Amino acid sequence: VVDPSTVIATHLTEVFKRQLHEFLGRQEIQALLDNLSKTAPKAVEELVPGILSLGAVQKVLQNLVREQVSIRDLLTIVETLADYGSAIKDTEQLTEYVRERLSRTIVKPHLDAQGALPIITLDHLVEQKIQESIRQTEQGAYMAMDPGTAQQIITRINDAVEKAVTDGQPVLLSTPMVRPHLSQLIRRFIPTLPIISQAEIPPDIRLQSVNTVALGNAG
């Protein structure tokens, strides 16, 4: 039996984690960069404002924190943004490149006791439906999926998570193109489920498939 105060404290902690990105304003981002410039001045000087604006860096960091990715390794984040920021201005795409560089940081919390990564995969039909719903514009990409299909996919993912046989929290595996859109789709409904792309898994990490999301047996 858990006492009410513990339940409330746990709930508030989870809520705070999910809303933490909202506390990363421009002033906070500038303070982080100022602190990094004490040890890596050239990296910060090259990035802001030469390659990206402070606002663009803010959006990338907010994207990471929104999905509970640690930004403690700020130097790697800044260097990655400097590498890709000259050619790419879409902050969603830049976030995906940063996530690839932070792959070990992202994967490590989800490894089981044997060092394997428990994964839930999407069958080709689910992946195809999501990919076909992505629309490219000059302002960036977005997903335009009909509500019925979206709800069905969310339900199937939730079922797969509940039925997954694993000691820890499984992650949902997808392709790099689909990952950010899939995350945006299900984050409101299954906020504790990590969504990881194939490009974010280090080559020496063993995968353990614990379930598959499919639409074929919908009824």
Side-chain angles (χ1 to χ4, degrees):
V1 177
V2 181
D3 64 275
S5 61
T6 301
V7 173
I8 293 172
T10 301
H11 174 70
L12 290 176
T13 300
E14 290 303 316
V15 170
F16 179 73
K17 283 181 180 178
R18 292 201 291 270
Q19 304 302 324
L20 186 58
H21 64 280
E22 296 180 4
F23 294 91
L24 281 178
R26 279 174 168 76
Q27 195 67 37
E28 287 73 26
I29 301 302
Q30 187 62 63
L32 289 173
L33 293 176
D34 288 345
N35 187 57
L36 178 62
S37 66
K38 295 175 183 176
T39 55
K42 291 297 182 183
V44 176
E45 188 179 304
E46 179 186 6
L47 180 63
V48 180
I51 296 176
L52 292 175
S53 67
L54 184 64
V57 175
Q58 176 193 17
K59 288 180 181 177
V60 171
L61 292 177
Q62 285 179 329
N63 287 343
L64 295 170
V65 172
R66 184 182 288 112
E67 295 193 63
Q68 298 187 29
V69 174
S70 172
I71 59 172
R72 187 170 297 175
D73 187 1
L74 189 58
L75 178 58
T76 294
I77 296 171
V78 165
E79 289 179 340
T80 305
L81 292 178
D83 288 343
Y84 293 99
S86 296
I88 300 169
K89 301 303 179 185
D90 182 351
T91 53
E92 298 294 332
Q93 195 172 349
L94 287 171
T95 301
E96 295 306 302
Y97 281 118
V98 171
R99 287 179 61 99
E100 289 181 27
R101 292 279 182 91
L102 296 175
S103 59
R104 290 196 181 277
T105 299
I106 291 173
V107 166
K108 186 177 179 180
H110 308 300
L111 300 179
D112 64 17
Q114 288 72 44
L117 181 67
I119 60 169
I120 295 173
T121 56
L122 304 174
D123 83 350
H124 71 281
L125 180 59
V126 177
E127 193 94 34
Q128 181 181 336
K129 282 185 176 294
I130 298 172
Q131 193 163 327
E132 289 175 349
S133 72
I134 298 174
R135 303 287 182 266
Q136 297 286 343
T137 70
E138 291 183 359
Q139 289 72 40
Y142 69 96
M143 186 166 63
M145 180 180 288
D146 71 89
T149 301
Q151 185 58 56
Q152 188 182 28
I153 290 175
I154 292 167
T155 300
R156 294 293 172 177
I157 291 173
N158 191 56
D159 290 344
V161 171
E162 290 182 350
K163 295 174 182 175
V165 180
T166 175
D167 294 334
Q169 164 75 64
V171 304
L172 183 61
L173 188 67
S174 73
T175 62
M177 173 185 268
V178 162
R179 197 213 72 80
H181 305 287
L182 181 61
S183 174
Q184 189 174 18
L185 173 65
I186 70 172
R187 196 162 51 229
R188 287 174 53 199
F189 303 95
I190 320 174
T192 59
L193 178 63
I195 298 97
I196 293 179
S197 86
Q198 295 151 352
E200 295 167 14
I201 300 177
D204 60 330
I205 296 296
R206 183 170 58 87
L207 303 181
Q208 180 189 4
S209 180
V210 295
N211 215 331
T212 300
V213 177
L215 297 179
N217 58 346

